[in-house]
Amino acid sequence: MPESEASQPLLGFDYGRRRIGVAVGQRLTRSATPLTTVRARDGKPDWAAVSHLIEEWKPGALVVGIPYHMDGAEQDMTHAAKRFCRQLEGRFRLPVHQAEERLSSWVVENRLSAREQANTDIDAMSAQVILQDWLQQEPND
C-alpha cells in the first residue's frame, strides 16, 4: 500500500435505521476513535451530515459494519447496511469496505456501567469497535 494511502484517515460506520455511529481511524496505528452519530429517518441517512464528515476528514476509504445473525445468516439489517455501502460508493466515489460484525453495540454496552451508557455515544463507540476490528484484521502490505 502506498505511504500516502496508509496515512489517510478512514471513517467507520455502524449503520442503523435511526442512528449511524461514525468513528475515525488510521492504518498506521491500526487504531480508531469514536467520532459522532448521524441521524437517519426511516433508514435514510442525513446525507448532508455524512458529506460534511467526508469533507472534513478527507478519508481514503470507508468501512461499514455488516450485521449477521450469530450463525452467520443474513438479516434485514444485513441488506440495509449493504445498500448503505452502495450508496456511499455512488455518492462519494471512495472505496467502501464491508466489515462483518456481530454484537458491536452489545460489546460497548457491556464495557460501560449504566451511568456511563447514559453519557456515552454508544453508536459512535460501536463504529469504533467495527473499524478497530477491521484495522486489526487488515493484512500488512
Side-chain angles (χ1 to χ4, degrees), residues 125-141:
M125 288 187 71
S126 296
Q128 175 194 16
V129 168
I130 291 164
L131 183 53
Q132 186 84 47
D133 287 350
W134 184 85
L135 285 164
Q136 297 299 320
Q137 294 173 21
E138 185 186 36
N140 291 324
D141 288 331

Side-chain angles (χ1 to χ4, degrees), residues 28-53:
L28 290 175
T29 61
R30 294 183 181 257
S31 63
T33 305
L35 191 57
T36 191
T37 294
V38 171
R39 295 284 173 206
R41 179 177 234 149
D42 298 323
K44 295 180 179 93
D46 178 347
W47 288 113
V50 174
S51 293
H52 175 76
L53 289 168

Side-chain angles (χ1 to χ4, degrees), residues 26-121:
Q26 60 175 315
R27 287 180 164 112
L28 290 175
T29 61
R30 294 183 181 257
S31 63
T33 305
L35 191 57
T36 191
T37 294
V38 171
R39 295 284 173 206
R41 179 177 234 149
D42 298 323
K44 295 180 179 93
D46 178 347
W47 288 113
V50 174
S51 293
H52 175 76
L53 289 168
I54 289 176
E55 289 169 18
E56 179 181 356
W57 289 95
K58 297 180 182 17
L62 310 173
V63 177
V64 178
I66 308 296
Y68 291 90
H69 287 294
M70 291 308 294
D71 65 0
E74 292 188 350
Q75 52 178 290
D76 286 343
M77 285 302 294
T78 307
H79 303 291
K82 287 181 178 183
R83 183 175 54 251
F84 179 62
C85 288
R86 290 189 302 274
Q87 291 172 327
L88 286 170
E89 285 175 330
R91 285 176 178 264
F92 302 108
R93 303 287 184 228
L94 289 168
V96 177
H97 303 282
Q98 295 183 14
E100 186 175 319
E101 66 105 351
R102 293 182 181 98
L103 303 176
S104 59
S105 297
W106 182 85
V107 168
V108 170
E109 290 168 0
N110 279 314
R111 288 182 186 168
L112 303 173
S113 69
R115 178 179 292 173
E116 289 171 319
Q117 285 182 34
N119 298 316
T120 301
D121 186 341

